[in-house]
């Protein structure tokens, strides 16, 4: 029925002096050039057979040479490695498309101070800056928390609409089959109706929303009853008689109106009907030349008396909106504007009605249309008829007139465009609009820097240099990297080296500076810079990759794999896995190469291998015939073995193989998401979780996965509701486990702990496999430990170990430690070290159960295996402080903070500064920590005390 109503609107043109609105279309953006790529199909079977037959007798490994000496090797590598082995000269680190301050701690502290001290209506913009700063951190939860705070403190409808839509986009609910883009999570935070209500609602933004079912608008029929309602009543006659009524004549029709009611609509009507004009003395006024229909004028008359809109068709209300604009009837305009927002239900409605909204500068109507557009991202990017409104300067100007142009709007749109296709013309246009909206320094830095990154990727080096230089002039020092890179591409290598060398000399050195300078050096000087880069920031992947490829070029394939294993051990990324797969193929380890390629495709299903020339799926087809063949039962056994040995990459590969056989198996997608979370790949994990939800075979299973999605994106209460709904349909392991997990995440009292124990026991009574039951037993043991029930905890951990849940060694060690059995605790962790493939955390935990010297040794190994683990730095710093080596203790913490600003590290350094009487540094570190977690009670207390002492010194 809705579309029937709008049929008449689509054929109608809102007039402004009888002149129709017209849009000038832009050219659609050209498709981005990805270079040549080989698809999964098209001759892969024959190529695979070729590899298989050529490798049957090939039992020797490649003797560490870039060019194989055997014809059989030649045939194999020609097919598997069409680009040969990687070349170090072609390696280049990417430039991060985000803000990257030189002093991250000071930046965090400054943003926190601004958020605490600025006016309430300015907080939303400050939290948006906080989001931009958090973008460079690996934890997406910080960015989402910043978005929530920005939405919480937004007062204008426009900002609410954009931020609520962005929050929804972060959950990527567009991937959920059967979901509607206008659905909300149940809170005012993302509610489509709450977003359209102006005002500062920070106290109620997390309350449950009240979404009511929209009433359908009936077709408009002018009957006798309506005619009577529209006729002028003679009640309240002021004695003026003939002056109380007036007739508006439109063609042959006369609409009888109450003069003073009509005059009350606006100053123009009042002047015309009650002022010194001729019409004020006439009983009939000719309105035929004003392009107003009879139906619209009758509706205006009713509104003049009732101040309400009856059940009118959209076409009439749209005309009333036009009349309100012509005659400055603000109250009627607002009523029409508000009513029309309820009619915007989908993309087609929004695309139609936004034209009327823009023409009549109807703020709420445009907001409602904008909300539909933004909640349909990223699919909206494929609809150029809408995107040209955002991309073109003319479209931006039209949005501005309606009050809907802002930095946050184009920040959102440009980030989606960058994620979808960085090189596209659309991305460039959106970033240009972003730059035009930038007013504050950080906004200009971000917009110009991202334009530089995109232009560099498009190989438009002069434009890239221009934009990077603009970002530098706005205060973003990191953009000098882009300036130097563009100069280098243009052939000015010495100039590029000089620029980065000055950067190293003028500022406190950080890892990426040495990494960049290495690009413009050769030989030993390059390697020394890369060593410094890794020492300062071990999370940079490029130094490992370059050293590994250089080792390959020296015929040292084994050493090359060991080098790349160092970074893969604590930071898994597709590019590093690709490099290892490259090396493994050269060594004839096809099983290992296939494992890595499957892991890559789990992280990024569209990944292109070998300089972007071969799809990862095609390489799987080539490797499959020459690798070991497993049945689905074999895969389950392999998954148990890898899971128990904490081989997450191997487990990912097995699950990927199993999904080839059973692509619709939701439990496998769920397993995949758990592994990805353990590898800190939250984005890929959420994608797998959404696929698990979509492939659910039952309602209760779907509810569980929806609950996990909500839990992982910060909606814990909603996750509990989903778990309870699932249990009400069918009692299942996963539903009880989800409920217990969500409850245990909060601070538990004794009563709550007992409830969690009951839930986990109920879960264990339900059917499930050993992998999940081992996790449940491990969690149950942890709750028993917290309750002081050590014997029950030990039983749980032992039971978990019996079904190969290796991580239970850690819990059992904790029980032994609490029982003062320190040798047994140490031995238990030694068993975990022997079993676990990724055992940095095992060395870390074992250090708690031995003397100082052995602890130092274990923690040193833990740091070598995983520099991101913060406990070793904190322990070593505490030991140094105990030995009265304050400066060394501060340096130990600073070394980790420089590449990982962590709450615990910052809090401990603040405490050290406080003990040394350096209250300025104490407050700075506390403020940076509170930016990461504003509710951290100990840091709040420390910060307040330091501020009091600092005030006393003044």
């Amino acid at each position: 029925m809705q579309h029937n109503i709008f049929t008449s609107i689509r054929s109608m043109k809102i007039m402004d002096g009888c002149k129709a609105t017209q849009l000038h279309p832009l050219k659609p953006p050209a498709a981005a050039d990805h270079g040549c790529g080989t698809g999964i199909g098209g001759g892969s079977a024959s190529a695979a057979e070729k590899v298989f037959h050529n490798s049957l007798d090939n039992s020797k490994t490649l003797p560490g040479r870039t060019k194989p000496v055997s014809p059989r090797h030649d045939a194999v590598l020609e097919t598997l490695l069409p680009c040969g082995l990687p070349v170090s000269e072609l390696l280049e680190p990417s430039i991060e498309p985000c803000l990257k301050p030189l002093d991250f701690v000071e930046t965090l502290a400054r943003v926190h101070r601004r958020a605490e001290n600025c006016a309430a209506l300015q907080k939303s913009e400050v939290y948006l800056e906080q989001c931009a700063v958090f973008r460079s951190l690996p934890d997406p939860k910080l960015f989402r928390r910043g978005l929530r705070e920005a939405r919480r403190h937004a007062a204008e409808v426009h900002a609410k609409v954009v931020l609520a839509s962005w929050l929804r986009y972060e959950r990527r609910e567009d991937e959920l089959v059967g979901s509607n883009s206008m659905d909300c999570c149940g809170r005012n935070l993302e509610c489509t109706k709450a977003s359209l209500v102006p005002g500062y609602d920070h106290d109620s933004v997390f309350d449950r929303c009240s979404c009511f079912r929209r009433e359908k608008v009936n077709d408009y029929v002018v009957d006798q009853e309506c005619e009577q309602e529209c006729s002028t009543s003679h009640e309240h006659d002021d004695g003026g008689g003939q002056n109380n009524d007036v007739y508006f004549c439109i063609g042959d029709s006369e609409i009888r109106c109450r003069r003073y009611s009509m005059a009350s609509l606006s100053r123009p009507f009042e002047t015309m009907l009650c002022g010194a004009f001729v019409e004020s003395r006439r009983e009939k006024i000719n309105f035929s030349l004003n392009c107003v229909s009879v139906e619209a004028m009758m509706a205006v008359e009713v509104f003049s008396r009732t101040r309400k809109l009856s059940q009118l068709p959209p076409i009439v209300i749209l005309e009333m909106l036009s009349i309100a604009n012509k005659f400055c009837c603000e109250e009627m305009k607002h009523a029409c504007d508000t009513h029309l927002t309820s009619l915007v239900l989908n993309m087609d409605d929004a695309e139609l009605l936004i034209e009327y909204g823009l023409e009549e500068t109807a703020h709420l109507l445009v907001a409602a249309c904008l909300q539909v557009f933004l909640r349909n991202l990223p699919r909206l990017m494929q609809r150029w008829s809408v995107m040209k409104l955002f991309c073109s300067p003319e479209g931006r100007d039209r949005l501005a007139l309606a009050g809907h142009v802002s930095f946050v709007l184009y920040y959102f749109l440009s980030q989606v465009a960058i994620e979808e296709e960085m090189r596209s013309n659309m991305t460039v246009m959106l970033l240009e609009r972003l730059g035009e909206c930038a007013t504050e320094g950080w906004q200009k830095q971000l917009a110009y820097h991202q334009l530089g990154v995109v232009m560099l990727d498009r190989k438009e080096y002069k434009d890239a240099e221009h934009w990077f230089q603009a970002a530098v002039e706005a205060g973003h020092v990191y953009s000098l990297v882009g300036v130097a890179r563009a100069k280098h591409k243009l052939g000015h290598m010495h100039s590029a080296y000089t620029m980065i060398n000055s950067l190293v000399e003028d500022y406190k050195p950080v890892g990426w500076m040495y990494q960049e300078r290495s690009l413009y050096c050769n030989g030993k000087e390059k390697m020394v810079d890369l060593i410094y880069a890794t020492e300062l920031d071990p999370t940079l992947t490029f130094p490992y990759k370059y050293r590994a490829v250089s080792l390959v070029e020296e015929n040292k394939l084994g050493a090359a794999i060991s080098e790349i294993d160092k970074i893969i051990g604590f930071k898994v990324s597709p590019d590093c896995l690709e490099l290892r797969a490259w090396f493994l193929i050269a060594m004839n380890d096809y099983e290992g190469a296939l494992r890595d390629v499957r892991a890559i495709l789990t992280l990024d299903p569209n990944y292109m291998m070998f300089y972007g020339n071969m799809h990862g799926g095609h390489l799987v087809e080539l490797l499959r015939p020459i690798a070991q063949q497993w049945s689905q039962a074999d895969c389950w056994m392999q998954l148990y073995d890898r899971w128990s040995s904490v081989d997450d990459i191997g487990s990912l590969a097995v699950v990927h193989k199993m999904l080839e056989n059973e692509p619709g198996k939701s439990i496998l997608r769920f397993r995949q998401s758990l592994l990805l979370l353990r590898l800190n790949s939250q984005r890929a994990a959420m994608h797998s979780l959404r696929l698990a939800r979509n492939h659910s075979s039952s309602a209760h299973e779907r509810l569980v996965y929806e609950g996990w999605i909500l839990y992982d994106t910060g909606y814990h209460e909603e996750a509990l509701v989903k778990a309870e709904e699932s249990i009400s349909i069918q009692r299942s392991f996963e539903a009880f486990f989800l409920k217990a997990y969500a409850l245990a995440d909060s601070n538990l009292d004794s009563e709550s702990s007992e409830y969690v124990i009951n839930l986990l026991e109920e879960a264990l009574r339900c059917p499930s496999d050993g992998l999940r039951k081992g996790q449940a037993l491990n969690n149950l043991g942890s709750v028993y430990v917290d309750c002081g029930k050590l014997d029950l905890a030990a039983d749980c951990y032992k039971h978990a170990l019996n079904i190969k849940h290796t991580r239970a060694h850690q819990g059992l060690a904790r029980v032994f430690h609490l029982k003062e059995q320190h040798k047994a605790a140490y031995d238990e962790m030694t068993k975990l070290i022997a079993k676990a493939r990724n055992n940095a955390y095992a060395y870390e935990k074992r250090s708690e159960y031995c003397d100082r010297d052995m602890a130092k040794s274990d923690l040193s190994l833990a740091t070598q295996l995983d520099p991101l683990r913060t406990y070793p730095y904190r322990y070593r710093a505490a030991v140094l402080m105990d030995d009265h080596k304050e400066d060394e203790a501060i340096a130990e913490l600073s070394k980790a903070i420089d590449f990982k600003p962590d709450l615990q590290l910052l809090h401990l350094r603040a405490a050290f500064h406080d003990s040394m009487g350096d209250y300025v540094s104490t407050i700075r570190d506390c403020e940076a920590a509170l930016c990461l977690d504003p509710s951290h009670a100990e840091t709040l207390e420390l910060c307040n005390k330091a501020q009091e002492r600092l005030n006393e010194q003044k």
Side-chain angles (χ1 to χ4, degrees):
M1 181 174 177
Q2 184 68 38
H3 292 289
N4 291 335
I5 290 173
F6 282 119
T7 301
S8 59
I9 299 178
R10 289 187 174 94
S11 61
M12 168 193 171
K13 296 177 180 177
I14 291 289
M15 302 291 185
D16 184 7
C18 300
K19 185 176 181 180
T21 302
Q22 187 175 6
L23 277 180
H24 299 284
L26 298 173
K27 292 181 180 179
D33 179 15
H34 287 280
C36 60
T38 307
I40 294 178
S44 62
S46 61
E49 290 172 9
K50 178 180 177 183
V51 173
F52 176 71
H53 290 302
N54 282 315
S55 62
L56 283 177
D57 302 323
N58 197 9
S59 58
K60 297 181 180 179
T61 59
L62 190 68
R65 295 184 178 176
T66 306
K67 294 183 179 180
V69 297
S70 166
R72 291 185 183 277
H73 284 300
D74 262 332
V76 171
L77 294 185
E78 183 182 353
T79 306
L80 291 177
L81 300 178
C83 301
L85 286 172
V87 180
S88 59
E89 292 180 358
L90 298 179
L91 293 179
E92 188 176 89
S94 60
I95 298 176
E96 296 181 39
C98 56
L99 292 179
K100 198 173 181 71
L102 288 178
D103 190 337
F104 206 91
V105 172
E106 179 55 42
T107 300
L108 289 174
R110 176 181 56 79
V111 174
H112 177 74
R113 283 195 299 272
R114 284 190 62 198
E116 290 295 305
N117 299 322
C118 70
L121 295 179
Q122 296 175 327
K123 287 183 181 290
S124 184
E125 292 185 4
V126 176
Y127 281 115
L128 186 65
E129 180 183 0
Q130 191 181 83
C131 289
V133 173
F134 286 157
R135 263 300 191 207
S136 62
L137 296 177
D139 186 0
K141 291 181 181 178
L142 289 173
F143 179 80
R144 286 198 294 268
R145 197 201 72 212
L147 274 185
R148 283 196 292 272
E149 287 302 307
R151 164 63 186 93
R152 180 188 175 198
H153 293 282
E156 296 179 354
V157 166
H158 172 79
K160 290 182 180 182
V161 164
V162 176
L163 292 166
S165 301
W166 201 341
L167 281 167
R168 183 183 183 277
Y169 173 80
E170 285 294 308
R171 293 208 312 277
R172 293 306 293 266
E173 288 198 355
D174 60 292
E175 293 184 8
L176 298 181
V177 173
S179 66
N180 188 297
S181 64
M182 300 303 285
D183 293 341
C184 64
C185 66
R187 303 280 183 184
N188 287 330
L189 188 71
E190 291 182 35
C191 178
T192 55
K193 289 186 175 180
S195 297
L196 295 173
V197 178
Y200 190 52
D201 56 356
H202 69 294
D203 290 331
S204 62
V205 74
F206 294 112
D207 293 346
R208 293 195 174 278
C209 65
S210 53
C211 293
F212 297 103
R213 187 175 181 180
R214 285 184 169 87
E215 296 289 336
K216 290 186 177 180
V217 181
N218 297 320
D219 290 335
Y220 178 69
V221 179
V222 180
D223 54 20
Q224 289 185 350
E225 183 177 346
C226 186
E227 292 271 11
Q228 292 174 1
E229 183 185 6
C230 291
S231 64
T232 304
S233 169
H234 288 282
E235 294 179 11
H236 309 295
D237 195 320
D238 62 357
Q242 69 275 14
N243 291 327
N244 198 42
D245 292 336
V246 64
Y247 292 85
F248 286 88
C249 302
I250 301 175
D252 296 331
S253 301
E254 294 181 354
I255 297 91
R256 186 182 182 190
C257 304
R258 183 180 297 164
R259 182 182 296 272
Y260 294 106
S261 296
M262 289 294 294
S264 67
L265 289 176
S266 69
R267 181 62 62 85
F269 269 124
E270 181 184 11
T271 303
M272 178 177 67
L273 297 175
C274 303
F277 285 84
V278 174
E279 287 83 357
S280 64
R281 296 186 295 275
R282 287 181 178 174
E283 186 177 348
K284 296 182 179 181
I285 299 174
N286 187 359
F287 232 54
S288 299
L289 298 179
N290 285 284
C291 300
V292 176
S293 69
V294 174
E295 292 81 5
M297 199 64 205
M298 292 172 64
V300 170
E301 190 281 324
V302 173
F303 182 84
S304 72
R305 292 184 288 104
T306 66
R307 291 305 194 265
K308 295 179 181 178
L309 294 173
S310 304
Q311 286 190 342
L312 303 169
I315 193 170
V316 173
I317 296 179
L318 285 168
E319 194 174 353
M320 290 177 69
L321 179 63
S322 180
I323 295 169
N325 257 341
K326 289 177 184 178
F327 295 95
C328 304
C329 307
E330 293 301 324
E331 185 179 359
M332 187 167 74
K333 178 179 179 178
H334 179 73
C336 294
D337 194 6
T338 303
H339 179 83
L340 288 168
T341 61
S342 65
L343 306 181
V344 187
L345 305 178
N346 53 50
M347 280 285 289
D348 291 335
D349 297 341
E351 192 170 355
L352 169 70
L353 287 172
I354 196 168
E355 285 302 314
Y356 299 107
L358 291 172
E359 181 67 17
E360 303 299 339
T361 61
H363 181 73
L364 287 177
L365 176 57
V366 174
C369 297
L370 184 64
Q371 181 164 244
V372 172
F373 294 151
L374 298 180
R375 291 174 75 94
N376 275 280
L377 287 167
R379 292 193 304 271
L380 179 72
M381 295 288 176
Q382 307 303 319
R383 194 176 288 213
W384 178 243
S385 58
V386 175
M387 288 307 301
K388 66 183 178 184
L389 178 66
F390 298 113
C391 291
S392 67
E394 297 83 4
R396 183 211 59 200
D397 291 342
R398 297 185 72 205
L399 286 168
L401 288 173
H404 285 286
V405 162
S406 66
F407 182 86
V408 65
L409 170 64
Y410 282 102
Y411 187 17
F412 180 23
L413 288 168
S414 60
Q415 299 319 291
V416 177
I418 288 172
E419 290 176 13
E420 290 298 301
E421 180 44 68
M422 179 179 282
R423 300 178 185 176
S424 72
N425 292 344
M426 184 182 293
T427 303
V428 174
M429 288 187 282
L430 288 172
L431 285 171
E432 288 174 344
R433 304 292 84 76
L434 180 69
E436 292 164 359
C437 293
T439 55
E440 297 187 31
W442 73 268
Q443 295 175 347
K444 293 177 182 178
Q445 293 173 25
L446 179 65
Y448 301 156
H449 178 74
Q450 290 192 336
L451 267 167
V453 171
V454 170
M455 290 303 181
L456 191 69
D457 200 51
R458 286 161 62 101
K459 297 181 171 55
E460 298 177 24
Y461 300 126
K462 287 188 176 180
D463 286 338
E465 182 181 358
H466 165 76
W467 288 115
F468 280 129
Q469 188 62 50
V472 172
E473 291 171 2
H476 194 233
V477 177
Y478 175 65
S479 293
L480 282 170
V481 169
V483 178
R485 199 79 65 89
K487 286 182 178 296
H488 174 59
K489 298 293 184 182
L490 292 168
H492 309 304
M493 190 163 182
H494 178 71
S495 177
Y497 174 82
T498 302
M499 181 173 292
I500 299 301
N501 190 55
S502 298
L503 191 63
V504 173
E505 294 174 351
D506 295 343
Y507 297 95
K508 176 187 174 183
V510 289
W512 57 262
M513 292 181 185
Y514 286 100
Q515 173 180 273
E516 288 300 317
R517 193 172 69 174
S518 74
L519 298 180
Y520 315 117
C521 305
N522 293 305
K524 290 183 179 179
E525 189 178 355
K526 178 186 283 283
M527 285 302 183
V528 168
D529 271 355
L530 290 175
I531 290 170
Y532 278 136
T534 300
E535 287 179 358
L536 292 170
D537 186 353
T539 66
L540 295 171
T541 60
F542 175 74
Y544 300 93
K545 291 165 64 177
Y546 186 88
R547 288 190 291 263
V549 174
S550 297
L551 288 166
V552 169
E553 292 171 340
E554 296 173 6
N555 301 326
K556 299 176 181 178
L557 276 169
I561 291 176
S562 297
E563 180 65 28
I564 205 66
D565 279 346
K566 292 177 184 177
I567 184 74
I568 292 175
F570 65 91
K571 185 179 179 181
V572 178
S573 62
D575 57 331
C576 292
L577 286 171
E578 176 193 9
L579 212 54
R580 189 169 73 176
W582 218 328
F583 301 157
L584 291 170
I585 291 172
M587 294 183 69
N588 290 349
D589 185 355
Y590 304 126
E591 196 73 41
L594 182 58
R595 172 204 62 206
D596 284 351
V597 178
R598 289 189 181 279
I600 289 169
L601 291 174
T602 305
L603 293 166
D604 182 357
N606 298 314
Y607 194 81
M608 300 294 291
M609 308 280 292
F610 311 140
Y611 306 121
N613 289 322
M614 181 186 290
H615 191 283
H618 183 58
L619 187 54
V620 168
E621 294 294 325
L622 296 176
L623 288 168
R624 187 187 291 123
I626 55 177
Q628 186 175 354
Q629 303 298 307
W630 293 335
S631 66
Q632 198 75 343
D634 293 332
C635 287
W636 274 109
M637 294 300 296
Q638 292 292 330
L639 182 58
Y640 268 88
D641 290 341
R642 283 160 173 73
W643 198 288
S644 64
S645 63
V646 199
D647 178 8
D648 295 331
I649 294 175
S651 299
L652 272 185
V654 174
V655 172
H656 187 271
K657 164 66 178 172
M658 296 170 78
L659 283 167
E660 283 184 348
N661 301 330
E662 297 182 83
K665 192 79 169 179
S666 61
I667 191 66
L668 292 175
R669 293 289 183 188
F670 182 53
R671 293 287 187 277
Q672 194 178 66
S673 72
L674 297 175
L675 287 164
L676 289 164
L677 282 175
R678 273 166 44 169
L679 291 169
N680 294 318
S681 301
Q682 191 178 72
R683 188 171 185 178
M686 294 302 295
H687 176 68
S688 295
L689 196 50
R690 288 188 289 270
L691 288 176
R693 181 265 187 197
N694 289 344
H695 288 108
S696 300
S697 58
S698 61
H700 75 273
E701 186 182 21
R702 184 176 67 253
L703 286 166
V704 168
Y705 298 144
E706 288 176 356
W708 279 116
I709 291 170
L710 288 166
Y711 177 84
D712 288 337
T713 49
Y715 296 93
H716 294 188
E717 292 184 23
E718 287 75 7
L720 281 172
V721 171
K722 292 286 184 182
E724 289 163 358
E725 288 180 20
S726 180
I727 292 170
S728 69
I729 297 173
Q730 181 173 321
R731 297 163 64 84
S732 68
F733 173 90
E734 292 298 348
F736 280 115
F737 187 86
L738 169 61
K739 188 173 181 179
Y741 198 93
L743 286 172
D745 194 44
S746 57
N747 293 325
L748 295 176
D749 53 27
S750 57
E751 185 177 348
S752 300
S753 296
E754 287 296 328
Y755 186 42
V756 171
I757 289 170
N758 291 335
L759 289 171
L760 288 171
E761 289 174 344
E762 287 293 335
L764 289 165
R765 294 188 189 100
C766 298
S768 185
D769 59 72
L771 297 177
R772 292 300 282 159
K773 289 209 169 183
Q775 182 66 60
L777 285 164
N778 196 65
N779 288 15
L780 182 56
S782 297
V783 181
Y784 277 138
V785 168
D786 293 340
C787 295
K789 300 176 180 180
L790 300 183
D791 290 336
L792 290 174
D795 290 342
C796 286
Y797 291 130
K798 290 174 182 177
H799 192 178
L801 289 170
N802 288 337
I803 53 178
K804 292 189 174 182
H805 188 77
T806 306
R807 289 175 181 266
H809 282 297
Q810 181 176 327
L812 191 55
R814 183 184 174 198
V815 170
F816 287 139
H817 177 67
L818 292 171
K819 288 184 173 183
E820 303 294 330
Q821 299 173 13
H822 303 301
K823 177 65 167 58
Y826 181 88
D827 292 342
E828 204 63 38
M829 291 310 301
T830 303
K831 294 176 185 177
L832 178 58
I833 289 171
K835 290 181 181 180
R837 176 73 64 88
N838 183 3
N839 51 19
Y841 75 96
Y843 281 110
E844 178 184 299
K845 294 303 294 184
R846 192 176 72 170
S847 71
E848 298 179 18
Y849 311 131
C850 53
D851 60 37
R852 177 181 284 197
D853 290 337
M854 294 178 68
K856 286 182 178 180
S857 176
D858 276 355
L859 291 175
S860 178
L861 276 170
T863 298
Q864 289 178 32
L865 293 169
D866 185 354
L868 290 173
R869 303 194 71 83
T870 61
Y871 175 76
Y873 300 98
R874 289 185 280 131
Y875 177 87
R876 289 190 289 264
V879 170
L880 288 167
M881 281 297 283
D882 288 343
D883 293 340
H884 304 290
K885 299 177 180 178
E886 291 87 355
D887 292 339
E888 293 178 44
I890 295 288
E892 179 67 24
L893 292 174
S894 300
K895 181 168 62 176
I897 289 171
D898 284 343
F899 65 85
K900 185 181 181 182
D902 174 82
L903 173 66
Q904 297 296 334
L905 291 171
L906 287 166
H907 174 78
L908 186 57
R909 192 171 74 172
F912 287 176
H913 282 307
D914 185 69
S915 67
M916 297 164 64
D918 185 354
Y919 302 125
V920 172
S921 297
T922 301
I923 294 169
R924 178 205 59 202
D925 283 353
C926 284
E927 288 173 335
L930 290 170
C931 190
L932 299 173
D933 183 2
S935 62
H936 196 256
E938 293 178 4
T939 303
L940 277 168
E941 182 180 0
L942 180 61
C943 188
N944 291 334
K945 288 182 179 178
Q947 188 65 60
E948 290 173 2
R949 294 187 186 113
L950 187 63
N951 292 337
E952 290 172 0
Q953 291 179 354
K954 292 180 180 179

